Amino acid sequence: MTQSVYLDRVAGYGDPELPAKAAALLAAAGCPVGPGHTALVKPNLVAPRNPALSCSHPAVVRAVCLALVERGARVVVADSPAFGTGRIVARLAGFEEALAGLPVTIRSLDRPRRLALSGGGHIGLSRVAEQADHIVNLARLKCHDQMGMTLCVKNFFGCVCGFRKSLAHQTLGKDYDRFAAMILDVVAALPPSTSILDGVTAMHKAGPVGGEPFDLGLLGASANPVALDTAIYAALGLSPQRIPLWRAAMARGLPGTDPAELHFPVLSPNDFRFEGFVVKPELAPLAFEAKRFVRGRLKSLMITLRGGR
């Protein structure tokens, strides 16, 4: 079955056509949000460090929120970062200034509910995410030291509340396929979604925080996050053997895992220059060393207590 992936070119985050292109991509991907709907815009707010590159860009967040507000939706921007809270990291990433004047609420993805996992065990999924009418999943195109790449499917992991993400790394971290299956369980438990991929300036060589910028000029959208991710994997010459989430999606027989299934009605990946984009050849361990895990939790607590200042 053909899976449509919509790609367009954006000159930069200051491109005056960015809002119109974001709105057009949402429409092309079939985003059904309308008057009275609660739309959750789920950005990538990984951490306070290097937010201009590690987090969703505020210009793209504003463009997407503006399109949804103009449709008459109630818009909530929320995430659960690895460090700190959604509100703190959103402020540090420039969201408050970018969204000034729009009737948009910024909050954290909290209020966990136990979600049973297909591989056994549970994880705490945010009720805030579950109760939205529709999720606009706003991912940033980045390398990821532990998972190879973080694109649309991986971005849904932020719907797991707070420290439970770190615990998942510890409890599931010995098995990349089991960890990837957990993320697919999270996606399957959430409301319908439309994914937007910010590849205007991507992150390569390392990630999800400490990599380097790579100007790609790409903005993408699809109703199927797996298909949009597959388009990028294939454009980068990657294989399922290198990308646990791609491999896990193929094991489940999810639509969009085969590049031959993809249809590009606007631009195709061949219209963008991926040459020179570097992905690490080996994956880092998923589980953190005990000292790093404890330091990370203390760091997150201090960021929260200090309000990000």
Side-chain angles (χ1 to χ4, degrees):
M1 181 178 177
T2 299
Q3 301 293 313
S4 294
V5 175
Y6 301 87
L7 305 177
D8 207 346
R9 192 183 311 281
V10 176
Y13 293 113
D15 187 340
E17 295 185 7
L18 174 57
K21 289 190 174 184
L25 285 169
L26 280 171
C31 179
V33 171
H37 289 161
T38 297
L40 170 64
V41 175
K42 196 289 180 194
N44 187 322
L45 291 173
V46 61
R49 184 160 68 93
N50 193 22
L53 188 58
S54 67
C55 298
S56 294
H57 196 280
V60 178
V61 176
R62 179 178 175 83
V64 168
C65 288
L66 180 61
L68 297 173
V69 167
E70 289 179 342
R71 290 178 176 216
R74 296 185 296 269
V75 181
V76 177
V77 176
D79 197 5
S80 179
F83 300 99
T85 68
R87 289 188 184 92
I88 290 171
V89 181
R91 187 180 74 244
L92 296 174
F95 286 16
E96 289 184 353
E97 295 87 347
L99 297 174
L102 293 181
V104 173
T105 301
I106 301 174
R107 63 169 300 173
S108 299
L109 286 179
D110 49 19
R111 301 175 55 222
R113 177 187 71 83
R114 280 163 62 93
L115 172 70
L117 300 175
S118 59
H122 298 81
I123 202 159
L125 186 62
S126 171
R127 287 185 176 90
V128 176
E130 286 188 306
Q131 292 170 359
D133 294 314
H134 195 82
I135 297 176
V136 177
N137 177 42
L138 180 49
R140 186 107 186 220
L141 198 162
K142 302 187 297 184
C143 283
H144 195 288
D145 294 345
Q146 296 164 309
M147 297 294 284
M149 295 291 297
T150 177
L151 302 172
C152 297
V153 175
K154 176 66 171 61
N155 197 52
F156 283 106
F157 187 40
C159 294
V160 172
C161 298
F163 71 91
R164 294 162 183 83
K165 291 190 292 297
S166 295
L167 284 178
H169 275 270
Q170 299 305 99
T171 57
L172 305 176
K174 294 181 180 180
D175 187 333
Y176 289 97
D177 291 328
R178 188 179 175 199
F179 189 86
M182 174 271 297
I183 295 176
L184 294 180
D185 289 343
V186 167
V187 176
L190 290 168
S193 64
T194 305
S195 288
I196 296 283
L197 181 63
D198 171 10
V200 180
T201 299
M203 176 188 286
H204 74 142
K205 296 186 178 179
V209 175
E212 299 181 14
F214 186 93
D215 291 328
L216 187 58
L218 179 150
L219 197 65
S222 181
N224 182 349
V226 174
L228 185 46
D229 288 2
T230 297
I232 302 303
Y233 297 147
L236 291 171
L238 301 173
S239 69
Q241 287 69 39
R242 290 185 64 186
I243 306 296
L245 271 170
W246 192 5
R247 190 166 64 241
M250 292 184 74
R252 292 196 181 190
L254 297 182
T257 58
D258 183 355
E261 298 175 344
L262 306 184
H263 173 57
F264 301 99
V266 185
L267 298 179
S268 83
N270 293 332
D271 294 306
F272 299 87
R273 293 187 60 85
F274 287 88
E275 295 86 355
F277 190 101
V278 176
V279 181
K280 283 187 175 182
E282 302 292 336
L283 298 179
L286 279 167
F288 304 118
E289 294 180 356
K291 288 183 179 179
R292 181 183 174 189
F293 176 75
V294 173
R295 283 199 306 268
R297 301 328 310 147
L298 290 174
K299 178 180 176 183
S300 182
L301 177 61
M302 292 304 297
I303 291 170
T304 301
L305 292 174
R306 288 187 278 186
R309 292 186 290 274

